[in-house]
């Protein structure tokens, strides 16, 4: 027999020549073979799944699944032919099978999610149910063609969604009231804000004018001192390289000290600023706390009073904030003025100290250079004279005019004495006729030279020239 199935049907053939089963749309049925016709069109299954969220809140999930055999996959079609086709698609067996899979997976998934997540993420919840149910239906060769999850429904005695809707309506109404009150508040606060900003800007301009005047005076003095100092420093710049290291060290120390003082002032100001900010935050949190409490307890009957209190709290907070900002601004400007004056005074003192230090160092360098030059001069002379210290001493005394000075002093000592030498001889000596009598007296004068030479040698260490005579300390000077 030749059998042909309709468009929505398939033939399942078993028997001789077929190891397991054979699925076809048309085929010859040979002797020893049997066949069955089964419908592959999908069927709608309607369920109301009762599940429970992670907060133990029960709800009902109405759903409609369109399920049928997977006709585009031979392996899935074989599974369906073996397991499901012997039963009617609308029988309780098939329906209970599908319903059990859907209810089981839906309950497991709902138990891992909160009610808020299920309610807000209906699309994602539906997709996860679809995927998990499809994974189980693959064992039976079934395919979910369509799945529709309807609106979540409360279980009698648990009106969660009803209360949630009422809450949304109340929040919308309250938000509208809040928006109206905020619009009024912004108008009143805006007017007050403009007045406060006008006063604040006037005070700010006065303070800045005083600060700028003080800064200009300090800068003028600073520039005058700087010009005078730079002229002096420029003239001696090349000789100041040795002093630069010490000056830089002193500069760094003073800079560190200045930075430490500035850091202390800034830390105190930061603490004051942070204190004001924290106070403002505390006031805001207190206002928010009171607002939430009033909303929870007296939302319906005390809304007007609540808005009034909120506006008063905001205005009081605003006044405190502006007062704190004005106080902080005044303190910062005073600190800046003090800082500028201190820097100018420090710079002036530093330039004076640097100038004195530079002069002292240059004086010391001059003395050192003079001593080094004299030492080099003496060493050069001593080398040129062959290391003869006596010759070097004689040269220095001659070049220094020592002998001329001694002669001058001796001459000054005997000036005015006008010494005269008179030689008296008796007649007997003159009668000798050779004139030796007078010469003897002159020779007596020359006898006084050795004691004179000895005195000069003791005072200066100098010896008379050899053509004039020699000194012998062991002999009688008069006999040399």
């Amino acid at each position: 027999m030749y059998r042909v199935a309709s468009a929505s049907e398939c033939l399942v053939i078993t028997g001789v020549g077929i190891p397991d089963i054979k699925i076809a749309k048309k085929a010859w049925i040979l002797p020893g073979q049997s066949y069955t016709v089964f419908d592959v069109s999908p069927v709608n299954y309607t369920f109301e799944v009762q599940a429970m969220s992670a907060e133990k809140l029960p709800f009902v999930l109405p759903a409609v699944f369109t399920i049928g055999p997977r006709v585009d996959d031979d392996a899935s079609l074989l599974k369906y032919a073996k397991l499901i086709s012997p039963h009617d698609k609308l029988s309780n067996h098939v329906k209970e099978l599908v319903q059990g899979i859907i209810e089981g997976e839906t309950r497991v998934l709902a138990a891992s999610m909160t009610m808020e997540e299920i309610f807000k993420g209906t699309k994602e919840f539906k997709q996860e149910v679809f995927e998990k149910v499809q994974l189980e239906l693959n064992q039976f060769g079934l395919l979910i063609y369509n799945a529709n999850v309807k609106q979540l429904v409360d279980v009698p005695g648990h009106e969660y969604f009803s209360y949630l809707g009422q809450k949304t309506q109340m929040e919308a109404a309250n938000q509208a009231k809040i928006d109206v009150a905020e619009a009024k508040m912004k108008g009143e606060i805006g007017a007050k804000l403009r007045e406060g900003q006008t006063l604040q800007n006037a005070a700010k301009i006065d303070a800045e004018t005083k600060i700028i005047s003080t800064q200009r005076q300090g800068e003028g003095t600073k520039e005058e001192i700087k010009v005078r100092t730079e002229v002096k420093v420029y003239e001696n710049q090349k000789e100041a390289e040795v002093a630069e290291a010490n000056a830089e060290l002193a500069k760094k120390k003073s800079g560190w000290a200045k930075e430490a003082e500035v850091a202390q002032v800034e830390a105190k100001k930061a603490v004051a600023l942070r204190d004001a900010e924290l106070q403002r935050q505390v006031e805001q949190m207190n206002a928010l706390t009171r607002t939430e409490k009033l909303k929870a307890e007296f939302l319906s009957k005390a809304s007007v009073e609540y808005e009034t209190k909120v506006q008063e709290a905001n205005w009081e907070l605003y006044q405190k904030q502006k007062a704190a900002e004005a106080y902080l601004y005044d303190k910062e400007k005073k600190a800046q003025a003090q800082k500028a004056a201190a820097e100018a005074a420090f710079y002036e003192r530093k330039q004076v100290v640097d100038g004195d230090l530079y002069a002292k160092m240059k004086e010391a360098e001059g003395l050192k250079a003079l001593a080094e030059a004299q030492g080099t001069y003496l060493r050069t002379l001593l080398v040129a004279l062959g290391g003869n210290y006596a010759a070097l001493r004689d040269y220095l005394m001659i070049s220094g005019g020592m002998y001329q000075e001694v002669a001058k002093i001796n001459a000054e000592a005997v000036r005015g004495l006008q010494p005269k030498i008179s030689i008296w001889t008796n007649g007997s000596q003159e009668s000798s006729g050779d004139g030796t009598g007078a010469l003897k007296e002159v020779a007596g004068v020359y006898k006084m030279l050795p004691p004179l030479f000895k005195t000069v040698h003791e005072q200066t260490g100098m010896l008379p020239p050899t053509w004039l005579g020699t000194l012998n300390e062991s002999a009688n000077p008069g006999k040399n």
Side-chain angles (χ1 to χ4, degrees):
M1 294 182 297
Y2 187 75
R3 292 288 182 264
V4 179
S6 64
S8 61
E9 294 178 344
C10 288
L11 299 176
V12 180
I13 306 171
T14 60
V16 179
I18 299 175
D20 189 5
I21 62 174
K22 178 183 177 182
I23 299 177
K25 295 292 290 183
K26 52 187 177 179
W28 286 98
I29 307 302
L30 301 176
Q33 294 180 350
S34 63
Y35 73 95
T36 304
V37 179
F38 66 92
D39 190 2
V40 295
S41 60
V43 178
N44 290 332
Y45 297 94
T46 302
F47 308 103
E48 288 188 357
V49 182
Q50 290 191 357
M52 186 174 293
S53 66
E55 304 99 337
K56 306 298 187 297
L57 295 175
F59 64 93
V60 176
L61 178 67
V64 178
F65 286 82
T66 303
I67 301 175
R70 188 188 295 270
V71 296
D72 57 351
D73 184 19
D74 294 339
S76 298
L77 202 56
L78 287 173
K79 290 180 181 180
Y80 179 79
K82 290 180 180 180
L83 302 175
I84 304 298
S85 63
H87 305 279
D88 185 5
K89 292 187 294 183
L90 299 177
S91 64
N92 291 333
H93 176 76
V94 178
K95 185 176 182 180
E96 289 176 358
L97 174 65
V98 175
Q99 183 177 0
I101 294 174
I102 294 174
E103 288 182 351
E105 296 300 329
T106 303
R107 287 169 180 164
V108 171
L109 181 60
S112 63
M113 301 174 65
T114 64
M115 187 66 77
E116 191 71 16
E117 292 174 347
I118 297 172
F119 186 74
K120 291 185 177 180
T122 304
K123 183 177 180 181
E124 292 77 10
F125 179 71
K126 168 188 171 182
Q127 183 64 29
E128 291 198 37
V129 171
F130 181 88
E131 293 175 355
K132 293 184 179 297
V133 172
Q134 181 60 62
L135 185 64
E136 295 295 328
L137 292 178
N138 287 337
Q139 304 176 76
F140 303 98
L142 294 172
L143 173 66
I144 301 176
Y145 287 90
N146 187 29
N148 291 322
V149 177
K150 298 181 181 180
Q151 183 64 39
L152 300 178
V153 179
D154 287 322
V155 175
H158 299 277
E159 290 76 14
Y160 174 79
F161 297 113
S162 177
Y163 291 148
L164 189 61
Q166 294 177 12
K167 175 185 175 183
T168 303
Q169 294 177 1
M170 292 298 295
E171 287 179 350
N174 293 333
Q175 185 62 40
K177 295 179 181 178
I178 291 172
D179 292 340
V180 173
E182 284 184 352
K184 294 180 180 179
M185 178 187 68
K186 288 180 180 178
E188 295 177 359
I189 290 176
K192 295 295 183 180
L193 180 61
R194 293 296 180 271
E195 295 178 3
Q197 287 179 347
T198 302
L199 296 176
Q200 181 180 350
N201 290 335
K204 180 179 179 181
I205 292 172
D206 292 339
E208 289 180 350
T209 302
K210 294 180 180 178
I211 291 172
I212 292 174
S213 176
T214 305
Q215 288 178 346
R216 292 293 181 270
Q217 293 178 358
E219 288 176 357
T221 304
K222 181 178 178 180
E223 290 298 327
E224 182 180 356
I225 297 172
K226 182 178 180 181
V227 169
R228 292 200 304 267
T229 306
E230 285 180 353
V231 171
K232 184 176 181 181
V233 171
Y234 179 79
E235 293 175 353
N236 303 282
Q237 184 175 5
K238 296 301 181 180
E239 293 83 3
E241 293 179 356
V242 177
E244 185 177 358
N246 294 331
E248 184 67 22
L249 178 60
K251 181 179 179 181
K252 288 183 177 180
K253 288 182 178 179
S254 60
W256 293 335
K258 181 180 69 177
E259 290 178 358
E261 293 178 357
V262 172
Q264 291 178 357
V265 174
E266 291 179 350
K268 292 180 180 179
K269 299 303 178 185
V271 169
L273 183 60
R274 183 57 179 168
D275 188 13
E277 180 66 20
L278 290 176
Q279 183 64 28
R280 184 179 67 84
Q281 293 179 0
V282 169
E283 293 294 337
Q284 288 180 344
M285 292 303 297
N286 290 336
L288 291 175
T289 302
R290 290 194 298 268
T291 301
E292 293 298 329
K293 184 176 180 181
L294 289 173
K295 281 184 178 181
E297 295 180 357
F298 310 105
L299 183 60
S300 60
K301 61 182 179 180
S303 59
V304 176
E305 182 181 358
Y306 161 73
E307 295 300 336
T308 303
K309 293 296 184 181
V310 169
Q311 292 179 10
E312 291 178 355
N314 289 337
W315 175 244
E316 182 179 356
L317 174 62
Y318 176 79
Q319 287 182 332
K320 290 183 179 179
Q321 182 180 358
K322 291 303 178 182
E325 291 177 354
Y327 177 77
L328 178 60
Y329 180 81
D330 182 61
K331 290 297 184 181
E332 287 179 350
K333 292 303 181 182
K334 289 183 179 179
Q336 291 177 359
Q338 293 177 357
K339 178 181 176 182
E343 288 180 351
F346 170 76
Y347 185 80
E348 181 179 2
R349 291 197 299 271
K350 178 178 178 299
Q351 294 301 327
V352 173
V353 172
D354 289 346
D356 294 341
L357 177 62
Y358 182 78
K360 294 294 183 181
M361 292 182 66
K362 288 304 175 183
E363 182 179 356
E365 289 178 358
L367 294 175
K368 179 180 178 182
L370 178 61
E372 290 178 353
Q374 290 179 350
T376 302
Y377 173 69
L378 292 176
R379 283 195 300 271
T380 304
L381 290 178
L382 190 62
V383 171
L385 295 174
N388 189 344
Y389 174 75
L392 175 62
R393 180 195 60 198
D394 295 344
Y395 174 77
L396 291 176
M397 293 182 67
I398 292 172
S399 62
M402 177 64 74
Y403 294 116
Q404 291 88 336
E405 190 68 21
V406 171
K408 182 178 179 181
I409 292 172
N410 291 332
E412 291 291 335
V414 299
R415 177 184 297 178
L417 297 179
Q418 298 180 356
K420 296 179 181 180
I421 299 174
S422 298
I423 300 174
W424 301 86
T425 60
N426 53 25
S428 60
Q429 293 174 337
E430 294 179 352
S431 62
S432 61
D434 54 4
T436 59
L439 293 176
K440 289 182 179 179
E441 298 297 331
V442 173
V445 174
Y446 278 96
K447 288 181 181 180
M448 295 185 296
L449 291 177
L452 178 62
F453 289 154
K454 182 174 180 62
T455 300
V456 172
H457 175 68
E458 290 176 351
Q459 292 178 353
T460 65
M462 297 290 295
L463 295 174
T466 56
W467 57 267
L468 186 61
T470 59
L471 293 177
N472 188 0
E473 294 181 357
S474 62
N476 186 359
K479 296 180 179 181
N480 290 338

